[in-house]
C-alpha cells in the first residue's frame, strides 16, 4: 500500500490509537484537532492564501484563481517545494498548517503483515525475491491480521478498502457488474472469501475485456494453492483412517487424492466464473498438450495461456522429463509453476522459467 507514514501522538489511550490508526488506514491521514477539541477534516482542494475550500479541479474557486498545481499523488507543490496535501487549514491562521508525516511510525502501526493487503496482479509481483535452488519461490497464501477483539475493527477497515478498490477496478471493466452481497463480512474467513471472489472475477473480466491473462494466471495459482493445502490436510486425515485406496505406497495414494481433489475444485471454480476449461480456449484443465508433430503430448494439471501449473507433493526440477516435456510443448510455456502443500515447508511452491 503506497500510503504515507503517520506519527500518532504520544500519550493517547490504546482505544484512541486504534481509532486513529483505523482512520489512517482508510484515508492515509491522522485527523487534526484544534485546542477546543474540534476535529478538522482534510480537503486537498483549498486556497493556501486564505484557506477557503474549492470544489476540486474546475470548481468555482478553481476558475477564479486558476487550477492549483498538483505534484503526483501527494498533491500540489507550494512555496519551497512543500506538498500542499500535507496542509490543514486552521481558522485564525493565515494559511495551512503543515503536519509532519515523514517521522517513523510506532512499531504497532505498520508491521510486516501489512504486505498481506497488497494487491499484486501478476505472478512476477507475487513471487518472493530470494534465492532458491529450484526457482523463485512464491509467497504462501495471504496472511490476514492476527488480531482479535477491538483490533478487528482495523482489520475490517483494511479489508473493506481492499474490496472497494477491487470493485472499482471491476466496474471500470464492466459497469453492469453486480456483486451479490447483503453486508460486508465481519469474520476474517468471510472477508478473505469475499476478496478472493472479487479478485477472481476481476481477473476473468480482464481476460475477456482486455485479452490479458496475467491476472488470471495469478488467481489460478492462489486458488490452486489454497485447494492444494486443503486437499493435503483431508488426504492425511483419510490416510490415518485407512480411507484411501493404496496401490504402490501411501505417498502415491496421497498424491493421487490431492491431484484429483484440486482438479475438481478448479473445475468448479472456473465453471462458476463462466470459463470453459475443457476446450481449445486459453484455460485448459488436465488436457493433452501436443509436443512436436509425432503425437507425443504432456498433460499439465492446468494451463492458463503460456503458463503451466503442476500440483505435486515432491519438488521438481527442469532436468526431469515431465518438466522438459512441458517446456517442449507446442504452446511454448514461459513458466511452469510447481504448487506444493504449504505444510511441507516455507516457500514450497515456486516458478520454473523457460
Amino acid at each position: 500500500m503506497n500510503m504515507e507514514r503517520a506519527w500518532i501522538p504520544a500519550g493517547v489511550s490504546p482505544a484512541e490509537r486504534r481509532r486513529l490508526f483505523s482512520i489512517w488506514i482508510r484515508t492515509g491521514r491522522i485527523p487534526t484537532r484544534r485546542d477546543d477539541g474540534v476535529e478538522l477534516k482534510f480537503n486537498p482542494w483549498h486556497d493556501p492564501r486564505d484557506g477557503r475550500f474549492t470544489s476540486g479541479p474546475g470548481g468555482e474557486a478553481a476558475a477564479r484563481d486558476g487550477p492549483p498545481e498538483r505534484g503526483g499523488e501527494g498533491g500540489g507543490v507550494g512555496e519551497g517545494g512543500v506538498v500542499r496535501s500535507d496542509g490543514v487549514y486552521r481558522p485564525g491562521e493565515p494559511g495551512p498548517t503543515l503536519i509532519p508525516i515523514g517521522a517513523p511510525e510506532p512499531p504497532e502501526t505498520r508491521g510486516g503483515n501489512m504486505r498481506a493487503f497488497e494487491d499484486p496482479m501478476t505472478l512476477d509481483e507475487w513471487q518472493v525475491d530470494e534465492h532458491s535452488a529450484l526457482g523463485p519461490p512464491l509467497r504462501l497464501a495471504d496472511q490476514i491480521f492476527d488480531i482479535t477483539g477491538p483490533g478487528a475493527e482495523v482489520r475490517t477497515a483494511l479489508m473493506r478498502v481492499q474490496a472497494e478498490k477491487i470493485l472499482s477496478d471491476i466496474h471500470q471493466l464492466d459497469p453492469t457488474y453486480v456483486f451479490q452481497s447483503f453486508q460486508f463480512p465481519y469474520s476474517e474467513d468471510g472477508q478473505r472469501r469475499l476478496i478472493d471472489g472479487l479478485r477472481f472475477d476481476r481477473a476473468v473480466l480482464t481476460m475477456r475485456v482486455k485479452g490479458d491473462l496475467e491476472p488470471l494466471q495469478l488467481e489460478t495459482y492462489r486458488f490452486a494453492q489454497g485447494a492444494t493445502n486443503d486437499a493435503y490436510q483431508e488426504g492425511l486425515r483419510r490416510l490415518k483412517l485407512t480411507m484411501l485406496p493404496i496401490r504402490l505406497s501411501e505417498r502415491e495414494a496421497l498424491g493421487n487424492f490431492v491431484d484429483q481433489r484440486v482438479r475438481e475444485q478448479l473445475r468448479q471454480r472456473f465453471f462458476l466464473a463462466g470459463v470453459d476449461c475443457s476446450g481449445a480456449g486459453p484455460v485448459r484443465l488436465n488436457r493433452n498438450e501436443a509436443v512436436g508433430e509425432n503425437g507425443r503430448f504432456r498433460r499439465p494439471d492446468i494451463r492458463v495461456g503460456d503458463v503451466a501449473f503442476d500440483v505435486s507433493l515432491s519438488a521438481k526440477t527442469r532436468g526431469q522429463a515431465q518438466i522438459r516435456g512441458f517446456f517442449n510443448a507446442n504452446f511454448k510455456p514461459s513458466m511452469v509453476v510447481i504448487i506444493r502443500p504449504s505444510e511441507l515447508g516455507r516457500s514450497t511452491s515456486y516458478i520454473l522459467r523457460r
Side-chain angles (χ1 to χ4, degrees):
M1 296 175 65
N2 295 322
M3 297 176 67
E4 297 163 305
R5 297 181 175 184
W7 178 262
I8 298 178
V12 300
S13 67
E16 179 67 2
R17 292 182 73 85
R18 285 192 295 269
R19 190 188 73 83
L20 292 175
F21 180 54
S22 177
I23 293 173
W24 174 72
I25 286 297
R26 295 192 301 270
T27 67
R29 299 189 177 279
I30 297 296
T32 304
R33 292 181 183 272
R34 298 190 319 208
D35 292 339
D36 59 7
V38 174
E39 185 175 297
L40 301 175
K41 298 189 179 299
F42 175 78
N43 181 344
W45 302 106
H46 67 271
D47 187 335
R49 291 166 294 186
D50 59 11
R52 295 177 62 183
F53 287 168
T54 74
S55 54
E60 179 181 351
R64 181 189 69 226
D65 299 323
E69 298 177 69
R70 303 292 288 175
E73 293 184 0
V77 178
E79 296 180 3
V82 175
V83 179
R84 285 184 186 166
S85 65
D86 294 347
V88 174
Y89 176 67
R90 298 177 187 273
E93 296 183 9
T97 300
L98 298 180
I99 301 176
I101 58 174
E105 70 278 3
E108 65 269 28
T109 59
R110 290 185 70 182
N113 52 6
M114 281 294 292
R115 297 192 69 180
F117 299 94
E118 294 173 353
D119 188 24
M121 295 284 286
T122 70
L123 282 165
D124 284 327
E125 293 176 308
W126 191 260
Q127 75 181 51
V128 175
D129 186 18
E130 60 185 56
H131 176 73
S132 169
L134 296 171
L138 290 159
R139 293 191 192 115
L140 305 183
D142 292 24
Q143 301 299 313
I144 303 175
F145 261 20
D146 185 19
I147 50 181
T148 56
E153 178 187 349
V154 175
R155 183 201 68 233
T156 298
L158 280 165
M159 297 298 237
R160 189 184 295 275
V161 168
Q162 191 176 33
E164 290 174 352
K165 192 270 181 187
I166 298 172
L167 266 174
S168 175
D169 292 344
I170 289 174
H171 285 141
Q172 290 183 36
L173 295 166
D174 180 8
T176 66
Y177 177 90
V178 177
F179 182 67
Q180 303 296 331
S181 179
F182 294 103
Q183 61 182 2
F184 193 80
Y186 192 72
S187 70
E188 291 184 6
D189 187 53
Q191 291 168 2
R192 178 51 58 199
R193 287 199 303 268
L194 180 147
I195 288 178
D196 283 347
L198 288 173
R199 287 180 60 102
F200 204 93
D201 286 353
R202 179 179 62 182
V204 170
L205 280 170
T206 301
M207 175 187 70
R208 289 174 175 160
V209 175
K210 296 185 174 182
D212 183 359
L213 287 163
E214 285 192 310
L216 190 56
Q217 290 165 350
L218 172 59
E219 296 311 314
T220 297
Y221 158 69
R222 294 176 73 252
F223 183 87
Q225 180 71 72
T228 299
N229 293 345
D230 292 343
Y232 183 71
Q233 289 295 325
E234 176 63 16
L236 290 177
R237 186 187 72 84
R238 295 191 180 201
L239 269 181
K240 187 176 181 179
L241 298 174
T242 65
M243 294 173 60
L244 284 185
I246 298 175
R247 185 171 63 91
L248 298 178
S249 67
E250 288 189 349
R251 186 173 179 82
E252 185 233 14
L254 180 59
N256 289 339
F257 174 81
V258 171
D259 284 346
Q260 182 178 358
R261 178 62 65 89
V262 172
R263 283 198 295 268
E264 291 173 355
Q265 298 273 331
L266 281 165
R267 185 174 289 108
Q268 182 181 27
R269 186 68 189 87
F270 281 113
F271 173 78
L272 292 175
V275 176
D276 180 12
C277 57
S278 61
V283 180
R284 293 167 55 81
L285 180 62
N286 197 34
R287 310 295 291 180
N288 293 343
E289 300 294 345
V291 179
E293 303 296 334
N294 56 4
R296 292 184 300 134
F297 64 87
R298 285 291 176 181
R299 180 175 286 191
D301 287 316
I302 190 166
R303 167 194 163 189
V304 180
D306 65 347
V307 175
F309 298 83
D310 185 70
V311 176
S312 174
L313 298 187
S314 60
K316 297 182 178 180
T317 67
R318 294 180 181 83
Q320 292 176 260
Q322 181 190 33
I323 304 303
R324 290 202 308 271
F326 288 159
F327 280 116
N328 290 332
N330 294 352
F331 74 94
K332 300 297 181 186
S334 61
M335 65 178 76
V336 175
V337 179
I338 308 298
I339 302 175
R340 303 175 63 212
S342 300
E343 189 174 308
L344 297 180
R346 181 173 178 271
S347 300
T348 50
S349 297
Y350 52 92
I351 294 174
L352 296 174
R353 298 188 183 278
R354 172 169 291 278

